[in-house]
Amino acid sequence: MRRLALEAGDAILEIYHSDDFEVRSKSDESPVTEADEKADALISAGLRAAFPDVALVTEEQAASHGQEVSTFLIVDPLDGTKEFVKRRGDFTVNIAYVEDGVPLRGVVYAPARERLFYTLADGTTVEETGTFDKETPGATTPLSVSDPDNSALMVVASKSHRDQATDDYIAKYGVKDMTSAGSSLKFCLVATGEADIYPRLGRTMEWDTAAGDAVLRGAGGKVVRFDDHSVFTYGKEGFANPFFIAYAPGVELKAAE
């Protein structure tokens, strides 16, 4: 999964740094580019070869969205296409393995930011630094969520999807600082302790969140439903998510209105 994420990142950056690339709209009006499709083809072929017996769900293959599965691989080959199109850099490659509804393994690679996060075989999470050699992992740093100060929380929220409801919810907390980030990097910022809480009051799909969720869980973090703070599971109908909160367990969660 790590190697495929790095290879997909190379393919994406090649297009990202080209003079021009075509942007089309999908049926839901979201943008798609050649980079999404190239990365998807590369990752899908690699995962099918490595794990032929595991179901595969990927954003770019609509035929995979009708499956009813609780154990599966799930891919968003380019999360943050809007960031990619605007050449803002906050886009990621996301590959995750979900078992019985729980994201156990995940890789999040932000090629333009040169940040690579993934879970190890024991389920813990690291950030790798170095040259990102395809075959040989470089130096890694174990990740652990913050021990938050509930009177001075660091909040991370979406760059492209902020709204009044999100701001109203954040206002319930004692906030020291707010940062915005694109794509699944928001989960990773909570996993590294750079942020304490990431509330998402907006539509997401499981391929948007599974890898980041696995990375966060492996660092001791949690993801719960926004409405009742109950367990956040995967393999839901159509792979659509409810609103959620990703956070370091020391955060005292406030109730939804």
Side-chain angles (χ1 to χ4, degrees):
M1 288 161 65
R2 172 191 172 278
R3 180 175 54 77
L4 290 172
L6 290 172
E7 289 176 357
D10 286 351
I12 288 166
L13 284 182
E14 196 174 311
I15 295 164
Y16 183 69
H17 292 308
S18 64
D19 292 337
D20 196 25
F21 50 79
E22 183 188 4
V23 181
R24 303 185 305 284
S25 287
K26 294 194 283 194
S27 58
D28 63 358
E29 299 303 311
S30 63
V32 64
T33 71
E34 180 190 357
D36 299 74
E37 291 161 347
K38 259 192 159 172
D40 182 67
L42 190 157
I43 295 168
S44 297
L47 290 177
R48 287 204 170 101
F51 308 105
D53 301 325
V54 181
L56 176 62
V57 179
T58 166
E59 178 181 15
E60 301 309 329
Q61 297 176 34
S64 73
H65 303 170
Q67 300 178 83
E68 292 183 20
V69 286
S70 61
T71 296
F72 52 97
L73 292 154
I74 186 161
V75 176
D76 188 344
L78 203 173
D79 182 28
T81 303
K82 288 177 183 172
E83 302 291 322
F84 177 88
V85 170
K86 293 172 183 170
R87 288 190 161 94
R88 286 204 298 227
D90 271 12
F91 52 86
T92 53
V93 179
N94 297 272
I95 307 173
Y97 170 68
V98 174
E99 188 173 280
D100 295 331
V102 180
L104 295 183
R105 301 284 178 272
V107 179
V108 175
Y109 177 40
R113 294 275 179 259
E114 296 186 336
R115 296 194 77 173
L116 173 62
F117 309 88
Y118 52 85
T119 51
L120 299 176
D122 64 1
T124 61
T125 295
V126 296
E127 178 172 5
E128 181 179 329
T129 51
T131 57
F132 301 147
D133 181 85
K134 302 292 188 300
E135 304 303 329
T136 309
T140 57
T141 304
L143 298 188
S144 181
V145 294
S146 64
D147 182 12
D149 175 352
N150 280 282
S151 66
L153 294 175
M154 294 291 295
V155 180
V156 62
S158 174
K159 257 186 187 158
S160 304
H161 303 282
R162 277 283 290 286
D163 59 12
Q164 192 59 50
T166 304
D167 288 341
D168 290 347
Y169 181 70
I170 291 169
K172 294 170 176 274
Y173 292 88
V175 177
K176 177 185 177 185
D177 202 4
M178 286 260 325
T179 184
S180 61
S183 69
S184 57
L185 278 172
K186 294 181 283 291
F187 288 99
C188 300
L189 294 179
V190 181
T192 62
E194 292 168 73
D196 303 311
I197 182 170
Y198 158 39
R200 181 59 181 260
L201 285 68
R203 175 179 168 83
T204 59
M205 305 300 285
E206 292 186 11
W207 46 78
D208 296 316
T209 62
D213 189 340
V215 163
L216 177 56
R217 291 182 196 223
K222 289 188 173 182
V223 180
V224 295
R225 290 177 60 110
F226 176 77
D227 53 5
D228 59 6
H229 300 172
S230 63
V231 176
F232 196 78
T233 60
Y234 288 78
K236 300 179 292 294
E237 183 178 354
F239 302 97
N241 286 328
F243 297 173
F244 62 83
I245 307 167
Y247 64 104
V251 174
E252 295 165 2
L253 291 186
K254 307 295 185 185
E257 288 297 317

